[in-house]
Amino acid sequence: MALHPFDEAIRLLARADGSFDGHTSVAYANMVGPFGGITTAQALQAVLQHPDRLGEPIALTVNFCAPVADGPFQVMAQPVRTNRSTQHWVIDLRQQGQTVMSGTAVTALRRETWGVDEEPMPVCPPPQQVAVPETQAPMEFVKRYEQRFVTGNLPLVWDGQESSSLTQLWVRDMPPRPLDFASLSAIADIFLPRVFVRRSTHVPVGTVSMTVYFHASSAQLVETGTGYLLGQAKAQAFRNGFFDQTSQLWNEAGALLVTTHQIVYFRQ
Amino acid sequence: MALHPFDEAIRLLARADGSFDGHTSVAYANMVGPFGGITTAQALQAVLQHPDRLGEPIALTVNFCAPVADGPFQVMAQPVRTNRSTQHWVIDLRQQGQTVMSGTAVTALRRETWGVDEEPMPVCPPPQQVAVPETQAPMEFVKRYEQRFVTGNLPLVWDGQESSSLTQLWVRDMPPRPLDFASLSAIADIFLPRVFVRRSTHVPVGTVSMTVYFHASSAQLVETGTGYLLGQAKAQAFRNGFFDQTSQLWNEAGALLVTTHQIVYFRQ
């Protein structure tokens, strides 16, 4: 059986020095270079595959330091501090010996505790009642995700009309693939640049830094399986060349799996 | 004239290898060890004082890897990638040769662009109309901040009654001090652990990772001066030993200066 394109994309080969060899994925290509979410997943994968890893991912921050070129890369994840139940990682992803992504991660042994989701899942029609858009952006990675927009897709007319930057959508891997931490970290970056939604104006953009908090346990990932996730994203501020996005991902059962934030460069 | 205790606390001495020597501050002591916000500011200060720094802070992530002991520390900020207008930093703060805080930062030359604050400043009475609490927590660092709670102070009765985790408060340095990026990064960590507010139950907690996005320009910091900031914080999810906090800081004129997020360990 052929590997799912996502599994193909995040395949890493261990090197003698503890780092891994990987390669950008044609299947997850963006306009230029790869989709940021797939590079994020590759960085996290270096933690997940590390023989010394303790527990499951809690937090991940990745910094998009420079454009990633199509081709090979090396990624090193180092546990800089290991405690009884938490472990701290520093991540460095390089091409031609130069850092193109830096990052940190926290993994932890999680124990059952009291809990509650305070941020309610927005009331949206179920995925089956939300149409897949008739047209979609031409980048290859877009075909790797089924996206059903409840609100806040790309503007139909780029007329500079200002509106809320809010997006709500159902999303899952295409073809469907059982959810895991790596795919969740990629989907955390699925949201369109808020400036497009807010301004109906196309301007150059690029994510600078993204942080992902994993609220999901392994058991919840298994329960979610190949189901849809409800994603919500909005900006809080646009100012002098940068804006933020604050986002959530729930499963169909309403469990908040991820909260995530990013800061994005824009021009004009 | 004596230095402000905050300036005293973030004083770093350059070492030959490019790192800095610092010392924890008695004035910003927490129950055990220092207030996390002051360690955050010390880490950022290593970037701000670096001779090769390009531009102003855009993003900062710090990971609280291990308890910081009262005493000296060494902090190293390294520019791992410098582009035309952005620069990526890796930060390592050590005690006894072991990492106690890891982090990354992005600085950038900001240009004036279109902008808007999408997250509205909550409607709150002005600081002068909000009382300073009659009692406050006994930690030394609490005395370094004037905090006027509009809502969501520590519960008066720890009766386990559940309520929203929302806090809104006016806050500034005590004594007042003109706002800068370092103090802003410390104030980003001023918010009480959300689990106390949500559950009215005292449980062991500790911040694991915090990310700060700086929307403020230097000019806005100057305009803010020694004025109050309106801070707002709430949790999105509490689950299996960890919860998140998502927070904003506005100045009195209503400009959103910072959006910040953290993930916090809790027990029970």
Side-chain angles (χ1 to χ4, degrees), chain B residues 104-121:
Chain B
T104 60
V106 183
T107 56
L109 295 172
R110 302 189 74 154
R111 294 181 184 85
E112 269 195 37
T113 62
W114 167 88
V116 69
D117 282 0
E118 182 155 333
E119 181 71 20
M121 188 183 193

Side-chain angles (χ1 to χ4, degrees), chain B residues 18-187:
Chain B
S19 69
F20 296 94
D21 276 318
H23 199 285
T24 59
S25 160
V26 174
Y28 288 85
N30 203 339
M31 205 76 84
V32 178
F35 164 49
I38 203 74
T39 314
T40 301
Q42 288 159 337
L44 179 60
Q45 192 64 6
V47 173
L48 295 173
Q49 289 199 2
H50 199 288
D52 299 338
R53 175 170 57 90
L54 179 78
E56 300 179 348
I58 298 295
L60 173 70
T61 293
V62 289
N63 302 286
F64 297 83
C65 302
V68 177
D70 296 328
F73 61 81
Q74 293 74 47
V75 56
M76 170 77 97
Q78 286 185 285
V80 292
R81 188 91 190 205
T82 302
N83 302 312
R84 233 173 346 169
S85 66
T86 59
Q87 191 174 40
H88 288 266
W89 297 84
V90 171
I91 304 167
D92 185 37
L93 195 149
R94 290 175 179 235
Q95 289 188 316
Q96 318 274 355
Q98 290 230 287
T99 300
V100 293
M101 174 177 274
S102 64
T104 60
V106 183
T107 56
L109 295 172
R110 302 189 74 154
R111 294 181 184 85
E112 269 195 37
T113 62
W114 167 88
V116 69
D117 282 0
E118 182 155 333
E119 181 71 20
M121 188 183 193
V123 179
C124 291
Q128 296 75 14
Q129 288 176 25
V130 180
V132 173
E134 287 178 26
T135 58
Q136 58 183 20
M139 295 85 85
E140 191 61 25
F141 87 90
V142 174
K143 300 178 190 144
R144 301 288 90 72
Y145 293 98
E146 183 183 339
Q147 299 188 61
R148 296 169 179 257
F149 286 86
V150 177
T151 190
N153 192 354
L154 285 177
L156 289 172
V157 193
W158 295 82
D159 59 0
Q161 182 85 36
E162 264 200 57
S163 62
S164 159
S165 74
L166 178 71
T167 287
Q168 293 170 333
L169 85 167
W170 292 105
V171 59
R172 62 173 177 173
D173 284 308
M174 175 109 101
R177 176 181 175 278
L179 195 67
D180 56 20
F181 288 110
S183 62
L184 206 41
S185 75
I187 294 172

Side-chain angles (χ1 to χ4, degrees), chain A residues 4 8 20 22 42-43 57 64 74 78 81 88 116 123 133 153 167 181 192 197 209 215-216 231 239-241 257 260:
Chain A
H4 189 286
E8 184 73 41
F20 295 94
Q42 289 159 337
F64 297 84
Q74 292 74 48
Q78 287 185 286
R81 188 90 190 206
H88 288 266
V116 69
V123 179
N153 193 355
T167 287
F181 288 110
L192 300 163
V197 180
S209 185
H215 301 289
R239 185 101 45 86
N240 293 344
L257 302 182
T260 178

Side-chain angles (χ1 to χ4, degrees), chain A residues 110 119 220 234 239 248, chain B residues 110 119 220 234 239:
Chain A
R110 302 189 75 153
E119 180 71 21
Q220 284 177 315
K234 68 184 194 70
R239 185 101 45 86
Q248 299 87 21
Chain B
R110 302 189 74 154
E119 181 71 20
Q220 284 177 316
K234 69 183 193 68
R239 184 100 47 85

Side-chain angles (χ1 to χ4, degrees), chain B residues 184-195:
Chain B
L184 206 41
S185 75
I187 294 172
D189 194 35
I190 198 62
F191 302 101
L192 299 164
R194 295 300 91 196
V195 68

